[in-house]
Amino acid sequence: MRKLVVLGMGVCLVLAFASCKSSESAYKKAYEKAKQQELAEPQVEAPVEVTPVVAAPVTTPKVADTSGVRQEKVTVVSGNDGLKDYSVVAGSFGVKANAEGLKDWLDAQGYQATIAFNADKAMYRVIVSSFADKAAAADARDAFKAKYPNRSDFQGAWLLYRVY
């Protein structure tokens, strides 16, 4: 009896493995067929027509030009409180003592520097000069950079638009 059970199990196993085909070969056949179709089809790219788009001029209300300018809400901490809309920032510091050191140095160079604090970023901005229009401020920034070509820290001077 035991021999018959073992023999029956053996026959079942042989039939089970004989009836199963490997799924890997089916995937491999499908892959090979797709690859052959891909190689057989000629790759033709259709020409793309580009039509120019003409934009109508847009009229917007006149607003202060702040492109290329950082906009921040600042309060004067040290120096004169005569900040106008656009200011030339010579340095930014997280520590007030460092900002005061630069302000003292700039004052000795003939500037009337101002320290302004940006509460949102917790940064002290050392301002060299302040102007009502962007063009004058940009000219002053460029002149400041040109005056100190060997000071790499001053070459990063930037314009600040004061938000109220």
Side-chain angles (χ1 to χ4, degrees):
M1 181 75 165
R2 191 169 160 182
K3 284 184 182 181
L4 286 176
V5 171
V6 171
L7 183 62
M9 289 177 71
V11 170
C12 287
L13 283 173
V14 169
L15 288 176
F17 284 118
S19 66
C20 290
K21 293 186 178 179
S22 173
S23 61
E24 180 181 356
S25 64
Y27 290 122
K28 188 173 183 180
K29 286 179 185 177
Y31 173 77
E32 292 297 329
K33 185 177 179 182
K35 194 71 167 171
Q36 286 176 354
Q37 287 178 349
E38 183 178 298
L39 293 174
E41 293 177 4
Q43 300 292 327
V44 179
E45 292 185 21
V48 178
E49 291 186 31
V50 177
T51 57
V53 176
V54 179
V58 177
T59 57
T60 58
K62 189 167 183 171
V63 179
D65 180 18
T66 58
S67 58
V69 179
R70 295 186 200 173
Q71 298 182 23
E72 294 181 359
K73 183 176 183 179
V74 294
T75 55
V76 174
V77 175
S78 175
N80 65 356
D81 194 8
L83 286 186
K84 297 182 174 102
D85 289 340
Y86 295 93
S87 301
V88 178
V89 178
S92 297
F93 302 94
V95 178
K96 184 178 179 183
N98 294 342
E100 289 174 348
L102 179 59
K103 178 192 178 308
D104 293 341
W105 187 86
L106 288 169
D107 288 343
Q109 296 293 313
Y111 292 97
Q112 292 181 346
T114 303
I115 298 175
F117 181 67
N118 179 342
D120 294 336
K121 297 185 180 185
M123 294 294 289
Y124 293 92
R125 310 298 192 191
V126 180
I127 297 172
V128 177
S129 53
S130 190
F131 300 90
D133 64 304
K134 181 181 174 184
D139 291 342
R141 177 200 57 206
D142 296 340
F144 180 73
K145 288 180 178 183
K147 185 174 181 180
Y148 301 100
N150 296 329
R151 296 273 315 247
S152 61
D153 53 340
F154 288 167
Q155 296 306 308
W158 50 278
L159 295 181
L160 166 74
Y161 179 76
R162 185 177 186 186
V163 178
Y164 295 95

